[in-house]
């Protein structure tokens, strides 16, 4: 017999995600490539006594999940943080905060995550006075689930020199009260970045998201080791959920250097694609950093080649940029992070460099401005297979729907973001959007039917990173109003959105995203048959094994 397989998966219900041979029973791996796909009998003949065998026992076998939008460094840090998910009311907030703070006596600030905009009730804004009651004697702040708003108590505001306000970059705001003091609500990262520096990590995990810069002064050896442990924890957690590739949505050279060290040490359990984050205060010349990152990192395990930008904020804080006023808020439309002409110039320069662009754009005004920028780049540089992306697209004007196909723009969307039973509360989002916007809110089906290329992801740590939970959400979404279209996705659409579609989005469809001989050996084995599972129960399936680059990165 010729050289045997190193690993085989037998007795499975294999969904290859390949149109030519969509189903099989078994997969063989040699080195870091898929060697064969076929029946269990055929694949069994390719093994010897050294071959590692995974018996799927009739469960689904899929290409490894490709997570197309997350923040791996903040995600890893969030695993040790206080989560306020499903925490409502001052009494409950006080209970969990004080219990957590008692275990962290040396922390300069207690920073909690996943706080709801309606924590104190649908009509009572959260203020520093609430947080003063929850934890009066130490700096305390909590970040919203979407990461775009922080609420801080008086001691935290004093520690950050924010109590009497201060200057913030465009798009950010320290909300001030009539008494001349900050209310405690800090909108967008530019308003609260100083408080991140008080955390045990010094805020290094959010630099790629908040500034796009590297640590200054440079991280010490012990700090780098701490940061690598944080990243490894996030990567391993993703691997335990069947994720074999990720598209990060924040980036700087520092993260890439840490991941390169992790890879060199043999601990990179998830292929990672890291962008350069271009901020609205940066000159065009800073794009040379993105080009250098692309030239330096270009392996199948770790690469760069994309620029990430923010065009607006979020609906819940009325910082998403809308074409018209928010419902019930006359004159309020949110503010764009980039004006039209400067953004057109930036998009054109990024495109000229042959780099991919992804822009956070939630409001319909932000989506239009981003599409206009991509169109300007195409006019200036000529059409090419750019696969530029728009992230989120939570509000959309009907006139912009066909432009996604016309411009070849990827709609990168998150099944767990529409408010409803599996995700965020209905309010204040539904009321702020208003009935006219709801039919094209989170418009998956409308965009897909119009020929747009969709990618699915979680935006972790904004939402849970488990792909099976996202697939459940995609298949079971409820209408936001009776007038809304049915935006639910089929099982195969949802699975494609986490495999072959995301490989295409990454320009890697020729090497991953399908179970085909010759492609990279990235495989996930579930503990049940996903096709025989009711949509609402898919979230309860578990990962039995994850294989990345031919190696088992997780096994239950």
């Amino acid at each position: 017999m010729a050289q045997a397989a190193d690993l085989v998966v037998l007795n499975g219900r294999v969904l290859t995600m390949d149109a030519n041979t969509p189903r099989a029973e078994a997969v063989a791996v040699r080195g870091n490539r898929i060697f064969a796909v076929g029946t269990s009998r055929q694949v069994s003949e390719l093994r010897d006594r050294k071959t590692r065998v995974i018996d799927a026992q009739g469960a689904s076998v899929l290409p490894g999940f490709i997570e197309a939008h997350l923040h791996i460094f903040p995600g890893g840090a969030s695993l040790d943080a206080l989560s306020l998910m499903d925490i409502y009311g001052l009494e409950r907030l006080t209970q969990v905060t004080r219990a957590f703070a008692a275990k962290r006596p040396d922390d300069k600030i207690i920073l909690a995550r996943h706080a709801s905009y309606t924590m104190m009730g649908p009509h009572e804004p959260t203020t520093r006075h609430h947080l003063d009651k929850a934890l009066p004697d130490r700096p305390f702040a909590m970040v919203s689930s979407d990461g775009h708003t922080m609420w801080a108590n008086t001691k935290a505001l004093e520690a950050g020199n924010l109590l009497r306000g201060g200057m913030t970059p465009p798009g950010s705001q320290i909300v001030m009260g009539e008494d001349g003091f900050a209310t405690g609500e800090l909108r967008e990262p530019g308003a609260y970045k100083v408080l991140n520096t008080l955390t045990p990590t010094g805020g290094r995990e959010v630099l790629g998201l908040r500034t796009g810069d590297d640590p200054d002064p440079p991280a010490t050896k012990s700090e780098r080791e701490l940061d690598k442990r944080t990243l490894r924890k996030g990567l391993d957690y993703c691997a335990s959920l069947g994720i074999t590739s990720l598209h990060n949505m924040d980036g700087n050279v520092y993260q890439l250097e840490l991941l390169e060290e992790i890879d060199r040490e043999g601990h990179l359990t998830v292929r990672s694609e890291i962008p350069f984050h271009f901020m609205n205060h940066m000159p065009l010349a800073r794009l040379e950093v993105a080009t250098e990152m692309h030239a330096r990192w270009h392996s199948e395990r770790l690469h760069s080649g994309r620029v990430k930008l923010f065009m607006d904020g979020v609906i819940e804080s009325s910082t998403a940029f809308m074409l018209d006023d928010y419902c019930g808020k006359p004159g309020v439309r949110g503010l764009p992070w980039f004006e039209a002409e400067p953004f057109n110039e930036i998009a054109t320069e990024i495109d000229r460099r042959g780099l991919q662009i992804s822009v956070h754009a939630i409001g319909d005004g932000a989506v239009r401005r981003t599409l206009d920028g991509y169109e300007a780049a195409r006019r200036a540089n000529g059409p090419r297979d750019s696969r530029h992306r728009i992230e989120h697209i939570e509000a959309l004007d009907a006139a912009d729907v066909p432009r996604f196909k016309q411009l070849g723009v990827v709609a990168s969307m998150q099944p767990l973001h529409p408010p409803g039973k599996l995700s965020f509360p209905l309010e204040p989002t539904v009321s702020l959007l208003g009935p006219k916007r709801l039919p094209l809110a989170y418009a998956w089906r409308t965009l897909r039917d119009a020929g747009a290329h969709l990618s699915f992801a979680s935006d972790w740590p904004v939402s849970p990173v488990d792909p099976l939970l996202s697939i459940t959400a995609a298949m079971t979404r409820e209408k936001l109003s009776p007038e809304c279209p049915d935006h639910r996705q089929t099982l195969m659409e949802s699975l494609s959105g986490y495999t072959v579609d995301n490989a295409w989005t990454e320009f890697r469809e020729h090497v991953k995203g399908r179970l085909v001989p010759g492609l990279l050996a990235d495989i996930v084995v579930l503990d049940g048959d996903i096709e025989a599972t009711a949509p609402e129960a898919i979230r309860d399936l578990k990962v039995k094994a994850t294989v990345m680059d031919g190696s088992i990165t997780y096994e239950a």
Side-chain angles (χ1 to χ4, degrees):
M1 182 176 66
Q3 183 182 356
D6 296 313
L7 180 148
V8 295
V9 181
L10 304 176
N11 305 315
R13 295 184 62 85
V14 180
L15 295 177
T16 67
M17 307 310 294
D18 181 70
N20 295 321
T21 310
R23 296 175 184 274
E25 292 178 340
V27 181
V29 173
R30 181 185 292 168
N32 72 336
R33 299 279 170 168
I34 295 171
F35 176 42
V37 178
T39 66
S40 291
R41 173 180 287 185
Q42 290 169 333
V43 170
S44 289
E45 293 175 353
L46 302 174
R47 60 176 174 156
D48 62 15
R49 60 184 179 83
K50 294 182 180 180
T51 302
R52 180 70 185 271
V53 178
I54 298 175
D55 186 350
Q57 297 179 321
S60 294
V61 179
L62 304 162
F65 294 131
I66 302 173
E67 162 62 54
H69 184 128
L70 55 56
H71 304 275
I72 188 62
F73 205 170
S78 74
L79 295 173
D80 290 329
L82 171 61
S83 175
L84 299 177
M85 189 79 71
D86 298 324
I87 299 296
Y88 291 91
L90 182 57
E91 181 178 354
R92 183 71 177 129
L93 175 65
T94 300
Q95 181 183 22
V96 298
T97 301
R98 293 185 181 183
F100 183 84
K103 300 175 183 177
R104 308 287 285 263
D106 298 325
D107 286 6
K108 294 179 182 178
I109 188 171
I110 299 300
L111 182 60
R113 302 176 186 271
H114 304 130
S116 170
Y117 284 88
T118 56
M119 178 178 285
M120 298 302 160
H123 304 295
E124 183 175 0
T126 300
T127 70
R128 63 185 170 94
H129 303 297
H130 292 115
L131 275 64
D132 286 345
K133 293 176 181 177
L135 194 67
D137 56 346
R138 296 177 63 182
F140 169 49
M142 58 186 196
V143 184
S144 60
S145 290
D146 55 45
H148 286 262
T149 302
M150 180 182 285
W151 297 269
N153 71 357
T154 301
K155 284 194 172 294
L157 292 169
E158 290 173 340
N161 198 28
L162 301 174
L163 187 59
R164 295 185 180 274
M167 296 295 293
T168 62
S172 299
Q173 180 186 6
I174 301 169
V175 179
M176 302 300 294
E178 294 180 358
D179 60 359
F181 293 94
T183 67
E185 182 177 347
L186 308 170
R187 296 178 179 174
E188 299 302 325
Y192 61 78
K193 62 182 180 182
V194 65
L195 297 184
N196 285 317
T197 66
L198 303 177
T199 65
T201 61
R204 292 184 302 278
E205 80 277 12
V206 294
L207 284 178
L209 180 62
R210 306 306 185 209
T211 70
D213 295 323
D214 296 328
D216 185 20
T220 65
K221 183 177 180 180
S222 62
E223 288 172 340
R224 290 179 74 93
E225 290 302 316
L226 171 62
D227 293 347
K228 283 185 353 186
R229 288 196 298 272
T230 301
L231 278 166
R232 282 187 58 183
K233 185 175 294 186
L235 292 166
D236 291 347
Y237 180 64
C238 288
S240 75
L241 299 171
I243 295 170
T244 56
S245 293
L246 64 85
H247 304 171
N248 211 47
M249 282 296 138
D250 61 88
N252 49 12
V253 171
Y254 183 63
Q255 280 191 75
L256 277 159
E257 289 179 339
L258 293 178
L259 289 166
E260 184 177 45
E261 289 179 22
I262 292 170
D263 191 22
R264 194 162 52 240
E265 293 161 0
H267 300 302
L268 189 70
T269 50
V270 182
R271 302 182 193 278
S272 300
E273 187 261 343
I274 310 293
F276 171 67
H277 187 179
F278 187 89
M279 298 292 292
N280 54 8
H281 62 267
M282 292 177 175
L284 269 180
R286 281 296 301 277
L287 289 173
E288 187 61 27
V289 177
T291 296
E292 292 169 356
M293 289 165 64
H294 179 45
R296 183 174 169 186
W297 287 283
H298 49 76
S299 76
E300 294 294 354
R301 297 169 65 90
L302 180 62
H303 67 279
S304 188
R306 181 167 51 87
V307 178
K308 167 73 185 298
L309 306 93
F310 277 83
M311 184 57 76
D312 66 348
V314 293
I315 294 167
E316 291 84 350
S317 61
S318 304
T319 54
F321 176 41
M322 297 293 184
L323 293 170
D324 298 303
D325 297 349
Y326 280 91
C327 191
K329 288 192 170 187
V332 177
R333 298 186 179 187
L335 293 173
W337 286 35
F338 294 91
E339 294 302 324
E341 285 308 312
F343 178 72
N344 290 353
E345 184 181 7
I346 292 164
T348 298
E349 176 60 17
I350 299 171
D351 183 77
R352 185 192 68 79
R353 291 171 177 263
L355 301 172
Q356 190 181 30
I357 311 171
S358 59
V359 177
H360 166 117
I362 282 181
D364 50 15
V367 172
R368 176 167 295 176
R369 180 155 297 177
T370 304
L371 289 169
D372 288 347
Y374 292 165
E375 188 170 2
R378 176 174 281 209
R379 283 197 306 268
N381 301 326
R384 69 179 181 90
D385 185 15
S386 59
R387 306 185 194 183
H388 296 323
R389 308 168 49 148
I390 299 183
E391 313 297 323
H392 307 309
I393 318 169
E394 296 184 5
L396 181 63
D397 188 83
D400 292 319
V401 171
R403 299 178 72 194
F404 282 81
K405 181 180 180 181
Q406 292 164 5
L407 297 173
V409 175
V410 176
S412 172
M413 308 183 81
Q414 294 69 45
L416 286 168
H417 278 194
K421 62 183 179 181
L422 285 181
S423 188
F424 302 106
L426 291 172
E427 298 298 346
T429 305
V430 171
S431 292
L432 287 170
L433 284 172
K436 291 183 179 179
R437 287 194 185 98
L438 289 180
L440 285 178
Y442 315 90
W444 312 331
R445 177 57 58 196
T446 301
L447 283 166
R448 190 182 293 279
D449 288 349
H453 181 98
L454 265 65
S455 282
F456 282 156
S458 67
D459 199 13
W460 188 53
V462 171
S463 299
V465 71
D466 185 357
L468 294 171
L469 180 59
S470 283
I471 289 168
T472 295
M475 296 179 67
T476 62
R477 174 178 164 185
E478 296 178 336
K479 294 183 178 183
L480 295 177
S481 75
E483 293 74 28
C484 288
D486 185 352
H487 288 297
R488 287 179 298 176
Q489 305 288 287
T490 67
L491 174 61
M492 294 309 294
E493 287 171 338
S494 303
L495 289 175
S496 294
Y498 263 98
T499 55
V500 63
D501 289 346
N502 285 352
W504 185 92
T505 297
E506 192 188 341
F507 295 92
R508 293 293 194 277
E509 71 273 19
H510 60 290
V511 293
K512 63 182 179 181
R514 296 170 292 141
L515 298 179
V516 174
L519 270 61
L520 292 167
D522 295 354
I523 307 166
V524 58
V525 182
L526 304 182
D527 68 351
D529 182 356
I530 197 169
E531 292 181 282
T533 303
E536 61 273 12
I538 288 175
R539 61 182 299 184
D540 298 322
L541 293 173
K542 304 297 182 186
V543 172
K544 181 176 181 178
T546 305
V547 177
M548 191 281 288
D549 215 34
S551 298
I552 296 175
T553 54
Y554 172 79
E555 195 166 20

